[in-house]
Amino acid sequence: MSLLEVEHCTIRFGGLTAISDLNFTVEPGIIAGLIGPNGAGKTTAFNLITGIYHPTEGAVNFQGKNVSKLKPHEINRAGIARTFQNIRLFKNMTVLQNVTVAMHRITLASPWHFLLRTNTYKKNQEEVEAEALKLLDTFNLTSFKDEDASALAYGQQRRLEIVRAMATGPQLLLLDEPAAGMNPNEKAQLKELIRRVRNEFKMTILIIEHDMNVIMDICEKIAVLDYGKKIAEGTPEQIKADPKVIKAYLGE
């Protein structure tokens, strides 16, 4: 069974159809890609999957359940997390705080414990911080844990945003242009990190990315959008050779 199934999804904004009869699936444990020209509907598709938008028609199914009408925080609790095209860190909080604030799944202390700073609260905070530090170590950010997020270099901020999404404990991680603005060395490191996240954390990953070297290198399956419609789906080799994709996106 597919982990994620986007089934005949259409979304309209007034007279504009942004997504039309979109169908694609993501199987457990793979790294999948979603590509297409600017304005093709890729981020709109992410917004449908994560509850920011609700489909006018069709359904989004996750683990066999229809999540189309859920709110974003409910979808996150169900096991889907994402990053955004524009970095959305808490810039005036530390790197560690940016991660711990996302770890509500293991924050067990009640408001009463929090107010009184009880032993239960202290123990829980220690557990949360230990888990957050493990994630930061995976992304080579431990040494920056006490720095404000705004003090990080651009590539480090990108990595921190991925860590924060992972901190919610998702089964499906959506990355919206994670390599944007990175230099070739940073992109190479990012590709290895994405593979490591999939392998070590047993996480399924869906990526929007304009850098075809990144997409073709790490994805096992790719769906291609153009003007809100899927025009192709397959392996990187199949996508590279598809005439519709070449005409719409990759160039003659």
Side-chain angles (χ1 to χ4, degrees):
M1 185 175 71
S2 299
L3 182 67
L4 175 74
E5 182 180 16
V6 177
E7 186 177 27
H8 298 292
C9 276
T10 295
I11 182 166
R12 300 185 184 92
F13 301 102
L16 173 67
T17 301
I19 293 284
S20 178
D21 195 32
L22 178 61
N23 292 278
F24 72 90
T25 60
V26 178
E27 288 69 41
I30 73 166
I31 301 174
L34 188 62
I35 67 171
N38 286 329
K42 304 181 298 296
T43 296
T44 301
F46 266 26
N47 288 339
L48 281 175
I49 295 167
T50 55
I52 294 174
Y53 300 149
H54 300 306
T56 309
E57 299 168 12
V60 177
N61 301 308
F62 180 65
Q63 293 184 307
K65 297 179 181 178
N66 189 334
V67 297
S68 305
K69 302 302 181 184
L70 297 184
K71 296 176 181 177
H73 71 275
E74 293 171 327
I75 288 179
N76 180 251
R77 286 175 185 162
I80 301 176
R82 72 173 294 182
T83 64
F84 292 84
Q85 280 179 298
N86 300 314
I87 296 173
R88 298 188 182 185
L89 296 172
F90 300 114
K91 297 291 183 70
N92 295 322
M93 294 173 65
T94 68
V95 168
L96 182 59
Q97 287 169 338
N98 264 274
V99 181
T100 57
V101 76
M103 303 186 80
H104 53 78
R105 64 191 168 87
I106 57 174
T107 304
L108 304 176
S110 69
W112 182 253
H113 289 297
F114 172 78
L115 288 171
L116 296 181
R117 295 295 195 273
T118 64
N119 288 334
T120 299
Y121 166 79
K122 291 175 183 176
K123 182 180 179 182
N124 186 232
Q125 284 301 106
E126 289 172 1
E127 292 171 354
V128 168
E129 287 196 7
E131 188 73 18
L133 287 170
K134 286 181 186 177
L135 287 173
L136 289 173
D137 185 57
T138 299
F139 282 75
N140 298 318
L141 291 170
T142 310
S143 60
F144 304 101
K145 66 183 179 68
D146 297 320
E147 301 271 356
D148 282 353
S150 59
L152 296 182
Y154 179 82
Q156 293 167 337
Q157 289 188 18
R158 280 278 177 199
R159 297 207 308 270
L160 177 57
E161 191 172 39
I162 297 173
V163 173
R164 189 177 61 181
M166 289 175 59
T168 65
Q171 291 170 278
L172 175 63
L173 179 63
L174 277 56
L175 304 178
D176 196 346
E177 297 198 36
M182 288 186 173
N183 61 43
N185 184 52
E186 288 172 330
K187 288 178 181 179
Q189 292 176 5
L190 177 70
K191 287 190 291 186
E192 289 308 309
L193 282 170
I194 290 172
R195 290 191 184 102
R196 187 176 173 190
V197 166
R198 189 270 300 274
N199 295 336
E200 291 187 14
F201 293 87
K202 310 302 180 188
M203 206 171 286
T204 305
I205 301 171
L206 177 61
I207 307 172
I208 292 173
E209 184 53 61
H210 281 291
D211 190 315
M212 288 300 97
N213 290 327
V214 172
I215 282 287
M216 296 297 175
D217 192 24
I218 64 173
C219 291
E220 291 126 348
K221 179 181 178 182
I222 300 169
V224 187
L225 301 185
D226 191 29
Y227 294 107
K229 296 182 179 180
K230 186 182 78 176
I231 60 171
E233 186 172 17
T235 65
E237 291 72 24
Q238 290 170 329
I239 295 302
K240 281 188 234 181
D242 191 297
K244 295 188 296 294
V245 178
I246 293 170
K247 181 178 179 181
Y249 190 39
L250 297 178
E252 296 290 352

